[in-house]
């Protein structure tokens, strides 16, 4: 056995037993995936995993700085991965770190350092990091990290309180979340010899106070014996009859407002609620619709919701629903604010239904459909492409991405059906863009032709495209027809269009459109490929 000082890192999953009970196979699969991320970060930070058990990981690091930096990288990476899943299925770790004396035996580490790291992990927030004072002192001036001092904490099987700090985790917008401060440990009790003294002092004081009250009562009785008795104040204890309210009290009383009138038929129109999944709609159709007033329902564009039932008044119902929705949205770092959608069974949402394209929303075409590649996603900036790569690509089925004509986009991940994921993506994207969006990808495939020969600049609408001479637009719309295969449109100086229709590949469609255009016009160039307008690549 060998003793040494080491930075000890302890992590495990919050709510792991519940996740396994709900879906064991999927949970174990994701655990293996997340462990690959954790193991890789630990190895890169010169750490060594010395023990694992189920969802728990114990590792040692040569320095506290390495351990904290590694923990932050892990939490930020896993938080990004978790955004691909609904809150109830997110797999979040707690991490505790300390510096302590440990004993190494056959590669395993034992001792107080390991035990304290495990207890600190239990103090950490979900998705957070908790460190000891020794670690805080080592890293406070070496890393750009903010801490919240939570004071001395009493933890199981550790005889003395552990002074701990929470690491403030950075959000997507660059700000830092504020950890929830915990109560500090109670101070240690005084020595036992103090108790007789305390009891004696209390007894003397009690005797003195009792005598004072006794003689005060006698004096009061003498003073009031000749005075008229006042009307007694009724109390519950004496079960006195309730006095009749004065006219002033009646005038200032606030009557309870009547419940809002129900929708005709008494059924909440759950089928028309946008942004939410099928399960949420079923919940609204059954539990919410049947619940009595006062109740309210709130949502945001991202699909986060909040409901409240059986509140004392309408204002309480509104506030409770908004608060629940916003907490859920904030927990997932959703940038969208929650709004009231319904009070009682009445719709109060002021934005109306989001703009939607005509159905079918997805048409599978084996000629144009190809594997999804983030770098080829049209009209997105590099930062957005990175986000799509990070969130969309590793997410579980069923998932989709909708794109707006101004470069707006919205992803829906982990839906229950293709219809649900595409509907929600189009609704949320439409609400952001103010116009109908287009489904570009479903699961691992692009489901529309994605141009690569020319740069995509927007959506192509032949009926209103100013590059095409007005008297030819209706004919272009008719000839494009069902849009299957690769299609391209070219125009010349006079705006006379040339079409390449139902080609086997992008290049063939472009060649056919240019060849058709030169029959009617001069200086022809391609303006559209598939559903997109295009321009030069530079």
């Amino acid at each position: 056995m060998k003793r040494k000082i080491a930075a000890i890192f302890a992590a495990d999953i919050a709510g792991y037993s519940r996740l396994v009970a709900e879906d064991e196979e999927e949970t174990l699969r994701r655990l293996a995936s997340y462990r690959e991320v954790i193991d890789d970060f630990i190895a890169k930070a010169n750490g060594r995993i010395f023990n694992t058990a189920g969802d728990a990981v114990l590792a040692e690091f040569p320095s506290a700085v390495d351990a904290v930096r590694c923990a932050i990288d892990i939490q930020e990476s896993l938080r990004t991965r978790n955004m691909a899943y609904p809150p109830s299925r997110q797999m979040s770790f707690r991490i505790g770190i300390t510096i302590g004396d440990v004993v190494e035996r056959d590669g395993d580490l034992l001792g107080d350092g390991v035990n304290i790291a495990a207890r600190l992990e239990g103090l950490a927030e979900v998705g957070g990091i908790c460190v000891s004072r020794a670690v805080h002192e080592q890293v406070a001036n070496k890393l750009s990290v903010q801490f919240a001092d939570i004071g001395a904490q009493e933890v199981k099987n550790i005889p003395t309180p552990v002074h701990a700090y929470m690491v403030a985790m950075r959000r997507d917008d660059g700000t830092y979340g504020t950890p929830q401060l915990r109560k500090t440990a109670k101070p240690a009790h005084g020595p036992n010899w103090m108790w007789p003294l305390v009891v004696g002092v209390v007894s003397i004081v009690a005797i003195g106070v009792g005598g004072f009250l006794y003689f005060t009562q006698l004096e009061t009785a003498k003073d009031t014996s000749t005075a008229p008795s006042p009307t007694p104040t009724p109390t519950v204890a004496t079960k006195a009859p309730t006095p009749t309210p004065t006219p002033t009290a009646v005038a200032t009383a606030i009557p309870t407002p009547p419940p809002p009138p129900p929708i005709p038929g008494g059924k909440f129109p759950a089928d028309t609620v946008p942004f939410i999944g099928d399960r949420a709609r079923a919940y609204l159709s059954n539990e919410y619709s049947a619940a009595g007033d006062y109740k309210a329902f709130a949502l945001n564009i991202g699909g986060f919701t909040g409901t409240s039932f059986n509140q004392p008044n309408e204002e309480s119902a509104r506030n409770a629903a908004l608060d629940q929705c916003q907490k859920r949205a904030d927990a997932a770092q959703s940038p969208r604010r929650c709004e009231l959608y319904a009070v009682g069974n009445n719709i109060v949402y002021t934005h109306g239904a989001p703009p939607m394209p005509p159905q079918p929303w997805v048409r599978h075409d084996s000629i144009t459909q190809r594997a999804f590649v983030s770098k080829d996603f049209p009209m997105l900036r590099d930062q957005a492409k990175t986000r799509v790569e990070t969130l969309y690509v590793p997410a579980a089925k069923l998932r989709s991405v909708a794109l707006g004509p101004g470069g707006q986009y919205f992803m829906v991940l982990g839906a229950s059906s293709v219809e649900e994921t595409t509907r929600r993506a189009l609704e949320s994207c439409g609400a952001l863009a103010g116009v109908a969006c287009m489904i570009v990808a479903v699961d691992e495939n692009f489901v529309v032709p994605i141009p690569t020969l020319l740069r995509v600049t927007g959506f192509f609408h032949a009926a209103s495209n100013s590059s095409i001479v007005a008297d030819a637009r209706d004919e272009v719309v008719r000839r494009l027809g069902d849009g299957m295969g690769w299609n391209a449109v070219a125009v010349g100086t006079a705006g006379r269009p040339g079409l390449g229709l139902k080609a086997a590949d992008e290049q063939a469609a472009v060649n056919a459109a240019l060849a058709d255009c030169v029959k009617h016009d001069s200086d022809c160039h391609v303006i559209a490929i598939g559903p997109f307008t295009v321009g030069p690549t530079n």
Side-chain angles (χ1 to χ4, degrees):
M1 293 191 297
K2 180 177 69 174
R3 283 192 173 274
K4 62 180 179 180
I5 301 295
I8 305 299
F9 166 110
D12 76 356
I13 297 172
Y16 180 69
S17 298
R18 176 186 60 80
L19 293 170
V20 172
E22 290 177 354
D23 190 336
E24 181 178 15
E25 183 176 344
E26 191 262 350
T27 298
L28 294 176
R29 179 184 61 80
R30 285 178 55 204
L31 173 60
S33 173
Y34 282 27
R35 275 295 309 276
E36 289 181 3
V37 174
I38 293 172
D39 293 1
D40 185 53
F41 275 117
I42 290 174
K44 288 179 179 178
N46 301 314
R48 179 183 74 90
I49 295 174
F50 63 84
N51 202 338
T52 61
D55 60 315
V57 178
L58 291 170
E60 64 167 327
F61 289 82
S63 76
V65 173
D66 290 335
V68 173
R69 184 186 290 119
C70 177
I72 293 171
D73 290 342
I74 288 171
Q75 293 292 38
E76 291 186 347
S77 176
L78 297 186
R79 175 177 57 79
T80 301
R81 288 172 175 263
N82 271 330
M83 292 174 70
Y85 299 90
S88 63
R89 293 301 302 165
Q90 290 182 1
M91 186 177 288
S92 300
F93 281 76
R94 294 186 177 96
I95 297 177
I97 303 172
T98 191
I99 299 174
D101 182 69
V102 293
V103 175
E104 184 173 2
R105 184 174 62 187
D106 298 329
D108 197 6
L109 298 183
L110 308 169
D112 284 347
V114 178
N115 295 335
I116 291 174
R119 300 310 175 202
L120 290 169
E121 172 267 309
L123 293 174
E125 294 179 303
V126 176
I129 304 165
C130 185
V131 304
S132 66
R133 180 163 53 188
V135 172
H136 175 260
E137 291 172 351
Q138 289 287 325
V139 305
N141 298 320
K142 297 182 179 68
L143 295 177
S144 298
V145 179
Q146 298 180 16
F147 293 89
D149 186 349
I150 64 172
Q153 301 290 321
E154 291 180 344
V155 294
K156 185 178 179 181
N157 295 334
I158 304 297
T160 58
V162 177
H163 199 112
Y165 293 78
M166 295 286 194
V167 177
M169 301 302 296
R170 186 169 57 186
R171 302 188 183 100
D172 287 341
D173 61 3
T175 63
Y176 287 82
T178 302
Q180 298 298 312
L181 300 184
R182 299 171 183 262
K183 294 181 179 180
T184 57
K186 296 179 181 179
H189 298 298
N192 290 337
W193 61 265
M194 290 291 290
W195 281 108
L197 177 61
V198 173
V199 171
V201 172
V202 171
S203 299
I204 294 170
V205 172
I207 293 170
V209 172
F212 172 77
L213 292 176
Y214 174 76
F215 286 108
T216 301
Q217 185 177 15
L218 290 179
E219 293 300 321
T220 304
K222 292 178 182 179
D223 292 339
T224 59
S225 60
T226 58
S229 300
T231 303
T233 303
T235 64
V236 175
T238 58
K239 298 185 180 179
T242 304
T244 303
T246 63
T248 303
V250 173
T252 58
I254 301 175
T256 302
I263 287 178
K267 186 73 172 178
F268 179 77
D271 290 343
T272 63
V273 179
F275 316 135
I276 63 174
D278 293 341
R279 291 182 181 177
R281 281 189 167 182
Y283 175 81
L284 291 173
S285 181
N286 298 321
E287 279 79 2
Y288 183 86
S289 180
D293 287 313
Y294 293 97
K295 63 184 179 183
F297 170 62
L299 53 62
N300 77 357
I301 292 175
F304 294 94
T305 64
T307 55
S308 62
F309 303 148
N310 303 320
Q311 297 296 314
N313 53 53
E314 181 180 301
E315 187 66 22
S316 296
R318 289 169 175 262
N319 292 339
L322 280 170
D323 184 60
Q324 183 186 82
C325 178
Q326 197 60 55
K327 284 182 177 178
R328 291 172 174 174
D330 291 344
Q333 280 107 32
S334 171
R336 309 297 168 187
R337 304 301 298 175
C338 289
E339 299 181 68
L340 279 172
Y341 185 85
V343 177
N345 283 345
N346 295 316
I347 309 301
V348 297
Y349 193 65
T350 59
H351 304 294
M356 295 286 283
Q359 289 189 333
W361 297 325
V362 178
R363 289 187 294 181
H364 294 284
D365 183 352
S366 60
I367 296 176
T368 59
Q369 183 169 299
R370 66 183 179 89
F372 180 88
V373 180
S374 300
K375 68 179 181 64
D376 294 338
F377 201 109
M379 300 171 61
L380 295 190
R381 297 178 179 178
D382 289 343
Q383 183 179 3
K385 289 181 179 180
T386 300
R387 183 174 175 83
V388 170
E389 175 71 22
T390 303
L391 298 180
Y392 183 82
V393 172
K397 295 182 178 181
L398 297 155
R399 62 193 190 275
S400 66
V401 190
L403 177 68
Q408 307 87 352
Y409 70 103
F410 199 91
M411 298 177 282
V412 172
L413 314 174
S416 60
S417 66
V418 172
E419 194 279 336
E420 178 191 319
T421 188
T422 53
R423 170 184 60 78
R424 290 179 57 194
L426 288 170
E427 287 173 340
S428 297
C429 180
L432 293 172
V435 294
C437 293
M438 175 198 312
I439 294 294
V440 173
V442 175
D443 290 332
E444 65 275 7
N445 293 313
F446 284 120
V447 293
V448 294
I450 303 296
T452 57
L453 300 177
L454 296 169
R455 180 174 60 88
V456 174
T457 60
F459 286 7
F460 177 64
H461 299 288
S464 58
N465 190 283
S466 59
S467 298
I468 304 173
V469 66
D471 61 6
R473 294 172 189 168
D474 289 344
E475 177 66 11
V476 173
V477 172
R478 185 189 67 80
R479 291 185 61 192
L480 286 174
D482 60 15
M484 304 300 280
W486 282 95
N487 300 312
V489 180
V491 295
T493 54
R496 291 295 167 185
L499 304 181
L501 304 177
K502 299 184 179 180
D505 57 57
E506 182 184 3
Q507 189 65 65
V510 167
N511 294 342
L514 291 170
D516 188 38
C517 177
V518 297
K519 296 177 183 177
H520 318 288
D521 211 332
S522 60
D523 195 21
C524 293
H525 62 281
V526 175
I527 62 169
I529 298 174
F532 300 103
T533 57
V534 294
T537 55
N538 51 16

